[in-house]
């Protein structure tokens, strides 16, 4: 893969999952500016993360559960500090993406988090949103620890639907 940066010579890089996602950034920004762009990306995020929660319930090791629990506690401890809360919220979801030990999932999740950062910053500012997110993360963790893939998927979908609703409420738009 060849990368081009203004003022620099072309550089050949290995086609890593991160490099491939970075190449999409411009097109993604344009797509997000379209009328259904944010909704489409919310749907893609829900599809990916529901599958990750399901997978975690089926295959998380005790070590994975320990790391996920620590991420949950960090998120709870960040309540009241918006920037730290956002970082720990992203970290909780990132841990789920690492459980399959497939480098494409964390890369995709990181990209989606970056592309939807505006949504996350807006939705976190809604009254009660951070507390609702922590409660949802707790439910997701409990269903994963209980090895219940159907409940884990359901809780993740409900959580991301609630995040989307906070966002659309703040933007005064109705989701499709």
């Amino acid at each position: 893969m060849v990368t081009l940066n203004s003022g620099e010579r072309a550089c050949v890089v290995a086609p890593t999952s991160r490099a491939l996602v970075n190449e999409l950034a411009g097109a993604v920004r344009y797509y997000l500016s379209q009328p259904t762009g944010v909704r489409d990306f919310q749907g893609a995020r829900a599809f990916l993360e529901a599958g990750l929660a399901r997978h975690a319930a089926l295959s998380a090791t005790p070590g994975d559960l320990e790391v996920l629990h620590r991420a949950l506690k960090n998120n709870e401890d960040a309540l009241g500090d918006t920037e730290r809360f956002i970082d720990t919220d992203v970290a909780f979801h990132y841990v789920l993406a690492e459980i399959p030990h497939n480098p494409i999932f964390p890369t995709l999740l990181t990209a989606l988090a970056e592309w939807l950062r505006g949504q996350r910053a807006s939705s976190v500012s809604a009254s009660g949103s951070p507390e609702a997110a922590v409660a949802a993360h707790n439910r997701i963790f409990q269903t994963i620890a209980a090895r219940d893939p159907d409940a884990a998927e359901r809780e993740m979908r409900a959580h991301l639907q609630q995040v989307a609703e906070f966002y659309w409420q703040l933007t005064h738009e109705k989701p499709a």
Side-chain angles (χ1 to χ4, degrees):
M1 202 166 125
V2 176
T3 61
L4 301 172
N5 292 313
S6 181
E8 296 179 11
R9 295 187 331 179
C11 182
V12 176
V13 296
T16 65
S17 57
R18 184 77 216 159
L20 293 171
V21 167
N22 284 340
E23 289 299 312
L24 295 174
V28 168
R29 278 191 296 277
Y30 174 77
Y31 193 84
L32 284 168
S33 73
Q34 301 306 299
T36 64
V38 171
R39 288 181 186 93
D40 290 346
F41 272 88
Q42 287 170 334
R45 179 183 178 202
F47 183 84
L48 174 64
E49 292 203 53
L52 290 171
R54 171 175 278 288
H55 182 274
L58 291 168
S59 64
T61 66
D64 292 331
L65 291 174
E66 184 178 318
V67 173
L68 185 59
H69 189 257
R70 192 170 34 248
L72 171 61
K73 291 301 174 196
N74 289 340
N75 191 224
E76 289 174 346
D77 292 345
L79 283 169
D81 180 342
T82 302
E83 286 304 312
R84 189 166 152 242
F85 182 82
I86 290 171
D87 290 343
T88 60
D89 180 83
V90 170
F92 176 82
H93 290 268
Y94 189 83
V95 169
L96 286 171
E98 289 184 312
I99 290 173
H101 303 287
N102 178 331
I104 293 174
F105 294 131
T107 300
L108 286 174
L109 191 73
T110 298
L112 284 167
E114 289 171 13
W115 296 334
L116 292 173
R117 189 140 183 99
Q119 173 198 306
R120 187 179 303 268
S122 294
S123 64
V124 165
S125 68
S127 178
S129 172
E131 294 80 8
V134 167
H137 291 167
N138 261 302
R139 289 189 301 274
I140 292 163
F141 175 78
Q142 293 304 323
T143 59
I144 290 169
R147 306 291 186 192
D148 187 340
D150 292 335
E153 180 178 347
R154 187 172 50 253
E155 290 297 340
M156 180 60 79
R157 285 189 186 282
H159 168 48
L160 295 178
Q161 178 61 39
Q162 186 176 48
V163 169
E165 288 170 6
F166 278 124
Y167 173 77
W168 294 114
Q169 175 187 350
L170 287 171
T171 62
H172 306 293
E173 293 183 40
K174 293 187 180 186

